[in-house]
Amino acid sequence: MNKTFARAVATALIPCMTLASVPLTAQAGIVSTEQAMVTPAGQADRDRVSAFLARDDVRAALVQQGVNTDDAIARVQAMSDAEVAELAQRVDLAPAGAGVVGVLFTVFLILLVTDILGFTKVYPFTRPIR
């Protein structure tokens, strides 16, 4: 039994060690200044949502719902690009002042879900599932 196991391990290790010795190649190209200076779309969306959350009326509405605005901005910075893009689209589509409640509700839901999942601790009334 020991010989069979050792033979099986040796048979599996021979191709692994042979492939491990093959050198890997890397390719690089020249990047122009224009390409290097382009801000990723995700960062532009983050800046737009952060600027929205920094407005006085939005800050007042967040505080009224019991959310610290600095925590909300920090959470926006920690969101994935897809989440930030969706939130930025909602901010852009909302007429001036009319969509504040919808955006705040979206931020509230995202923060609530992340609290329940244990990623953040914004609301004292939640318990993480971890």
Side-chain angles (χ1 to χ4, degrees), residues 27-113:
Q27 295 180 354
I30 297 175
V31 178
S32 69
T33 304
E34 291 80 21
Q35 290 173 331
M37 297 303 293
V38 171
T39 305
Q43 187 60 39
D45 289 339
R46 286 180 208 290
D47 293 341
R48 189 168 42 241
V49 173
S50 295
F52 174 76
L53 292 175
R55 290 183 8 199
D56 291 334
D57 57 336
V58 176
R59 281 183 178 263
L62 284 172
V63 169
Q64 185 180 17
Q65 291 188 7
V67 177
N68 185 353
T69 54
D70 295 331
D71 290 340
I73 291 173
R75 180 62 195 131
V76 167
Q77 296 301 325
M79 285 180 183
S80 70
D81 288 341
E83 291 171 330
V84 173
E86 179 183 340
L87 200 54
Q89 183 181 13
R90 285 181 168 224
V91 168
D92 290 342
L93 292 179
V100 173
V101 175
V103 172
L104 288 178
F105 184 70
T106 303
V107 170
F108 171 77
L109 283 179
I110 290 172
L111 290 173
L112 182 66
V113 168

